[in-house]
Amino acid sequence: MRTPVFPADRPGAVEQVAGILQDGGIAAFPTETVYGLGADAFNPEAVARVFAAKGRPSGKPLILHLSGPEMLPQVVADVPAAARVLIEAFWPGPLTLVLKKAGGVPAIVTAGGVSVAVRCPAHPVATALIRALGRPLAAPSANRSGSPSPTTAGEVMEDLAGLIDAVLDGGPTGIGMESTVVDLTVSPPTVLRLGALSVEALRRLLPDLRVPADRRESDAGGEAAPGQAAPTPRYVSGARLVLVEGADIERVAVEVRRRAERYAAGGSRVALLATAETAGAYHDLGPAVTVVEVGARRDLAGVAAALFRTLRSVERGGVQIILAEGFPEEGLGAAIMDRLRRAAGEVVRT
Ligand code: TXA
Ligand code: MG
């Protein structure tokens, strides 16, 4: 199978991809967070092809993407008051709500469960595509299972060329970090995945929002309880990611430096993920250590936007070790640390 890439701004491109989806095809499309791999939510065979193309376990349900709240009655049984408040404040945007599902939603979408995840992406191409299809799009992130979520059409093609029917190219996604997932079917409402919308922003409207302590090590399914073995490292296949955490960034940088020297002396090639504030501390580490800036510590949105892209590119570079600095777990920092810890083979606390 050849996978055509349609520039989203070419006249007729959105309608063409909507036609592919109408015929049971599967296609990647941009959202404000990351690229999604969409199928008509009411076509179980098409949804099955999404699971197959990603190599995704069938027990992990998909998010339904809506053009707006007017699509909710098609997919959810009721909209509780808390959902109304959050929708009013944060849709369209990077917030996914888990609600009681409506009868018509195919079982494969929800992995057989009675709840369904819904969100309304804030991206004109995604909205136009869902409108043209006239139905919700069931879509996980458009990566092979275990790789970082893609933020460009090129990254989608790296993982899925030949496995999917089309890519709608809307350029790089703005946020680069997946949506926050909140379960409103339980009491108190509970965060199932940290993401682009901060817990602080949610708690302003939902003060009793619960964030389980082990959230950082889980992915709503396939999680290790506290005290059990660490979860299988994700995202970084060929290299070992070592994450150095600590409240004092100068001490973190000293430990990162010490380790970079040690790994290089042992014959490893090292990629060191630095920030604008710390990169100067690493400039003289020699040819075995490549220093890559992921943004500035005072601009965590920039770090979030660069993180997955950087992990992909250093992995491509064929290093043995990726050394990463930790970030304060406030605002977007919580989601950034969640993703870094999931990718890490080793976490060092300074
Ligand atoms: O930003 C995003 O959320 C992106 C874009 C494409 O919308 N999508 C995304 O989808 O990251 P995915 O499939 O990679 O992650 C969906 C998350 C998973 O953690 C999944 O377990 C959870 O949402 N989820 C989906 N349906 C659920 C349900 N019915 N109950 C609980 N969790 C659910
Ligand atoms: Mg994903």
Side-chain angles (χ1 to χ4, degrees):
M1 184 200 293
R2 203 182 63 83
T3 300
V5 178
F6 298 86
D9 56 3
R10 210 177 65 193
V14 168
E15 291 70 23
Q16 226 172 329
V17 173
I20 290 170
L21 294 167
Q22 229 130 34
D23 294 340
I26 59 175
F29 64 98
T31 80
E32 81 281 32
T33 57
V34 299
Y35 273 74
L37 173 58
D40 174 354
F42 290 112
N43 181 336
E45 289 81 29
V47 176
R49 290 189 55 215
V50 167
F51 280 89
K54 278 189 61 103
R56 182 178 181 104
S58 60
K60 196 170 161 186
L62 305 186
I63 296 173
L64 295 187
H65 294 68
L66 317 180
S67 54
E70 73 282 352
M71 275 188 169
L72 279 170
Q74 295 186 42
V75 293
V76 306
D78 78 317
V79 183
R84 281 177 213 284
V85 170
L86 295 180
I87 287 168
E88 174 72 22
F90 299 118
W91 277 13
L95 171 64
T96 296
L97 299 176
V98 173
L99 299 167
K100 226 178 284 163
K101 85 177 187 89
V105 177
I108 186 169
V109 168
T110 63
V114 297
S115 63
V116 64
V118 289
R119 93 174 188 94
C120 180
H123 194 294
V125 173
T127 309
L129 183 64
I130 299 164
R131 288 228 167 95
L133 177 67
R135 285 192 291 277
L137 266 181
S141 51
N143 49 281
R144 287 279 298 168
S145 215
S147 315
S149 293
T151 58
T152 64
E155 290 171 355
V156 174
M157 289 295 278
E158 259 176 37
D159 276 23
L160 297 175
L163 298 170
I164 65 178
D165 300 303
V167 177
L168 191 52
D169 183 355
T173 61
I175 297 178
M177 164 71 67
E178 302 94 337
S179 64
T180 304
V181 181
V182 175
D183 189 351
L184 293 177
T185 68
V186 294
S187 184
T190 300
V191 171
L192 297 182
R193 179 178 71 182
L194 295 168
L197 183 63
S198 74
V199 168
E200 292 89 334
L202 285 162
R203 278 204 173 129
R204 259 172 246 139
L205 296 176
L206 215 58
D208 62 338
L209 180 68
R210 194 171 77 93
V211 185
D214 64 343
R215 201 44 35 199
R216 61 180 59 147
E217 290 181 347
S218 80
D219 190 14
E223 53 197 84
Q228 291 183 346
T232 318
R234 298 173 64 204
Y235 304 146
V236 182
S237 56
R240 177 178 176 77
L241 190 146
V242 179
L243 172 62
V244 181
E245 297 183 4
D248 178 348
I249 185 57
E250 278 168 32
R251 282 179 57 184
V252 167
V254 167
E255 178 64 15
V256 166
R257 213 190 132 81
R258 201 178 64 75
R259 284 182 174 255
E261 285 169 337
R262 199 173 87 204
Y263 298 135
S268 292
R269 291 211 294 129
V270 179
L272 195 163
L273 310 190
T275 44
E277 292 84 349
T278 56
Y282 310 128
H283 68 91
D284 58 343
L285 281 169
V289 181
T290 306
V291 179
V292 187
E293 268 189 50
V294 291
R297 308 186 75 82
R298 58 179 184 281
D299 171 26
L300 290 180
V303 173
L307 184 64
F308 291 148
R309 208 164 302 165
T310 307
L311 284 175
R312 259 182 200 268
S313 71
V314 297
E315 197 178 339
R316 243 187 264 118
V319 299
Q320 283 87 45
I321 303 275
I322 300 170
L323 260 167
E325 302 169 348
F327 293 86
E329 286 178 80
E330 285 148 29
L332 257 180
I336 292 169
M337 286 303 284
D338 169 80
R339 303 304 190 272
L340 282 173
R341 287 185 182 128
R342 286 194 217 178
E346 182 180 352
V347 178
V348 181
R349 295 194 169 83
T350 57

